Amino acid sequence: MSQFFYVTTPIFYVNAEPHIGHTYTSVVTDTIARYHRLAGEQTFYLTGTDEHGDKIAEAATANKMTPLEFADRISGIFRSTWDEVGFSYDRFIRTTERKHQRTVQDILQKVYDAGDIEFREYEGSYCVGCERFLTDRDLVNGLCRDHERAPELRREANYFFRLTKYRAWLVQHIQDNPDFIRPERYKNEVLGMLREDSGLDDLCISRPKERLHWGIPLPFDENYVCYVWFDALINYLTGIGYPDAPHFDDYWRTAEHMIGKDILKPHGVFWPMMLKAAGLEPYQHLNVHGFWNLADRKISKSLGNMISPLAMKQKYGFDAFRYFLLREMSFGLDAAFSEEALIARVNADLANNLGNLVNRTLNMVARYTDGKVPQPDTTGEPEDRVSDTAARVANAVDAQIRNLEVHRALASIFDLVNETNRYLETRAPWTVAKDPAREAELRTILYTACEALRVIALLLEPFLPATAPAILEDLGYPEALLHAQLPQDAMRWGQLPVGLKTKKGTPLFPRIEAAPDDSAEG
Ligand SMILES: [Zn+2]
């Protein structure tokens, strides 16, 4: 019986083009999805775009387009960008799909029939950026905390989802499942939002059609459309074929949502309550990451600090950018982005440590053993140290990925890279090669280095999906990835077949000399 794994990015709002925030969430999600596939799990990775709401209608008008034309354009940019950088998503969902519309209406009707949606009049401060009424806690000096703009006073009769009814249930669920929201700081934040004195209120889930046409009609009142969060969150059900697609339940049971901390409240508070009201189980985990900071400002879709994934790909290669994002941010905490820091990391870790290990190993195999993976002879303590490290690292990476410690997992893999480089320094095959009497020893050393490369490439595939196959290709063993099963295949030493024809590697990561737009300093 195969094991299922379901992982999602948020659906991205089509009011801006892809930037570093969207890219980071997607890079982590892609890495985790790839790992679970290599672990033999039946994996489904969902991404897509969120396309309804006033902001889209406004932006479309400003661009002299219909909302759907506008959404088509931006959604298309997201999709082609993700394709160009090689994300391995299984489905790209759009909230304007008819199928999604039906799912939303089905859930709305269920929740309405259960008595959890009420019609009421409401007046309050509304932020167009957030697309919701704000509470006092959302305001800083009278401005929306996230958007730095003044809210409008609005009075409307609307439909409300009775969140407050589920407050006690959700607090209990979080206490019973301590890693439901992780890392822990965000669990505590959500528990804070759920406190009696937090001002948590029932959630407005509609807009009168006279003010907003661009939304999914409520199934029980044709004069209203659905408010965006209710519409958006349900994509996670539509994406895997709610309610009756084969394996819907199998996937849903394992759901892992990856989000940035700016959308913690809808995912940590509204969503589990909506699921409960609709008679569904909550997701497995909500995994929350921090912000990338640039020049001390939050990089968000509203503030316009754009770092385009395609520009980064063109400048440095997408694996290098990916590596930096995954290595530099501790999942859950904020991190700082600068091209100087990226260049320093890529040069130190990828050009020097990894690139060097690959190049010198393959060059020596070409030179000393006729370009073929040699038959090893007797191994000793130095070889054991490399194979022991490989097994320990493979085991650690498995646990770290499942714990969302992706930066630690990468550091673990580089323990093996460093250990293998140290091994070559100690065993000095270039000296051994000078003595024909030590030919057997030379074969052992080069086999050990090649086998370490196989393990390194297997473990790196989820993180560097372009680089890892290139290493295996040069080793003459591209099929290693075909039926690989992690972590076992990385732990079992000696799987690299003897006699494979290797290639002299082209440098994987040439040293980057300086940021191309740096001013010369001397
Ligand atoms: Zn706002």
Side-chain angles (χ1 to χ4, degrees), residues 127-131 134 144-149:
C127 173
V128 178
C130 297
E131 298 197 327
L134 303 179
C144 167
R145 171 207 302 273
D146 288 336
H147 294 96
E148 299 179 9
R149 64 196 270 183

Side-chain angles (χ1 to χ4, degrees), residues 264-289:
L264 177 60
K265 188 172 188 180
H267 284 80
V269 177
F270 306 163
W271 182 223
M273 292 177 171
M274 286 166 56
L275 289 163
K276 178 76 178 164
L280 287 157
E281 290 298 310
Y283 47 77
Q284 182 77 17
H285 295 118
L286 180 63
N287 307 289
V288 190
H289 67 75

Side-chain angles (χ1 to χ4, degrees), residues 112 115-122 156-162 205-208 218 220-221 223-224:
Y112 185 74
D116 286 342
I117 291 176
E118 284 179 358
F119 193 59
R120 291 183 210 154
E121 188 141 283
Y122 181 89
E156 264 173 13
N158 266 311
Y159 286 90
F160 285 79
F161 170 52
R162 295 174 62 204
I205 61 153
S206 68
R207 284 288 167 276
L218 297 187
F220 42 81
D221 188 340
N223 297 314
Y224 283 82

Side-chain angles (χ1 to χ4, degrees), residues 88-355:
S88 63
Y89 61 84
D90 293 286
R91 169 136 152 62
F92 188 101
I93 190 171
R94 301 185 53 186
T95 53
T96 45
E97 289 171 20
R98 188 178 297 272
K99 194 166 188 167
H100 179 63
Q101 179 158 337
R102 277 200 304 266
T103 308
V104 170
Q105 289 181 330
D106 182 279
I107 300 277
L108 279 167
Q109 189 68 52
K110 272 205 173 75
V111 177
Y112 185 74
D113 291 345
D116 286 342
I117 291 176
E118 284 179 358
F119 193 59
R120 291 183 210 154
E121 188 141 283
Y122 181 89
E123 184 179 64
S125 306
Y126 181 86
C127 173
V128 178
C130 297
E131 298 197 327
R132 64 185 173 88
F133 287 96
L134 303 179
T135 65
D136 289 346
R137 296 163 60 91
D138 298 316
L139 297 170
V140 177
N141 300 326
L143 302 180
C144 167
R145 171 207 302 273
D146 288 336
H147 294 96
E148 299 179 9
R149 64 196 270 183
E152 304 167 4
L153 193 65
R154 280 201 193 178
R155 184 176 185 82
E156 264 173 13
N158 266 311
Y159 286 90
F160 285 79
F161 170 52
R162 295 174 62 204
L163 275 191
T164 41
K165 178 177 163 188
Y166 294 100
R167 180 210 304 264
W169 164 79
L170 184 54
V171 169
Q172 191 61 47
H173 184 79
I174 293 171
Q175 279 162 356
D176 293 345
N177 301 275
D179 64 353
F180 181 59
I181 296 167
R182 58 186 183 178
E184 195 173 12
R185 57 198 296 130
Y186 298 109
K187 172 185 92 171
N188 295 334
E189 237 180 85
V190 168
L191 285 173
M193 294 170 190
L194 292 170
R195 279 206 332 242
E196 297 280 348
D197 59 354
S198 68
L200 182 74
D201 226 332
D202 289 341
L203 177 70
C204 182
I205 61 153
S206 68
R207 284 288 167 276
K209 242 185 204 167
E210 64 203 27
R211 282 167 65 117
L212 178 70
H213 258 278
W214 187 234
I216 298 175
L218 297 187
F220 42 81
D221 188 340
E222 58 179 21
N223 297 314
Y224 283 82
V225 296
C226 181
Y227 162 88
V228 288
W229 273 117
F230 219 85
D231 162 358
L233 290 164
I234 289 172
N235 93 85
Y236 300 131
L237 300 177
T238 312
I240 45 170
Y242 171 89
D244 51 9
H247 302 308
F248 169 80
D249 292 326
D250 296 323
Y251 280 121
W252 181 247
R253 205 170 289 130
T254 69
E256 297 279 343
H257 296 315
M258 314 293 299
I259 63 163
K261 66 181 179 183
D262 54 329
I263 47 177
L264 177 60
K265 188 172 188 180
H267 284 80
V269 177
F270 306 163
W271 182 223
M273 292 177 171
M274 286 166 56
L275 289 163
K276 178 76 178 164
L280 287 157
E281 290 298 310
Y283 47 77
Q284 182 77 17
H285 295 118
L286 180 63
N287 307 289
V288 190
H289 67 75
F291 287 139
W292 284 95
N293 295 307
L294 177 72
D296 296 330
R297 299 215 71 189
K298 183 182 94 181
I299 299 175
S300 89
K301 54 189 174 188
S302 304
L303 292 176
N305 290 320
M306 306 281 275
I307 292 169
S308 140
L310 292 182
M312 288 293 113
K313 180 189 177 200
Q314 196 174 14
K315 235 168 165 177
Y316 303 109
F318 199 69
D319 267 18
F321 183 51
R322 222 177 135 109
Y323 180 80
F324 179 78
L325 295 182
L326 291 167
R327 185 67 187 81
E328 195 75 9
M329 178 175 267
S330 298
F331 191 88
L333 302 177
D334 290 356
F337 181 86
S338 74
E339 291 193 44
E340 291 73 26
L342 183 152
I343 290 168
R345 269 238 181 259
V346 169
N347 280 344
D349 296 357
L350 299 183
N352 289 357
N353 285 4
L354 177 63

Side-chain angles (χ1 to χ4, degrees), residues 45-96:
Y45 158 12
L46 179 73
T47 193
T49 43
D50 180 9
E51 307 183 5
H52 290 125
D54 343 30
K55 267 192 298 184
I56 303 309
E58 276 173 26
T61 308
N63 284 277
K64 298 192 170 57
M65 295 168 112
T66 67
L68 185 59
E69 284 167 349
F70 184 78
D72 280 347
R73 192 182 84 192
I74 309 288
S75 178
I77 292 172
F78 269 95
R79 188 168 185 153
S80 65
T81 301
W82 295 163
D83 288 343
E84 196 165 326
V85 302
F87 290 150
S88 63
Y89 61 84
D90 293 286
R91 169 136 152 62
F92 188 101
I93 190 171
R94 301 185 53 186
T95 53
T96 45

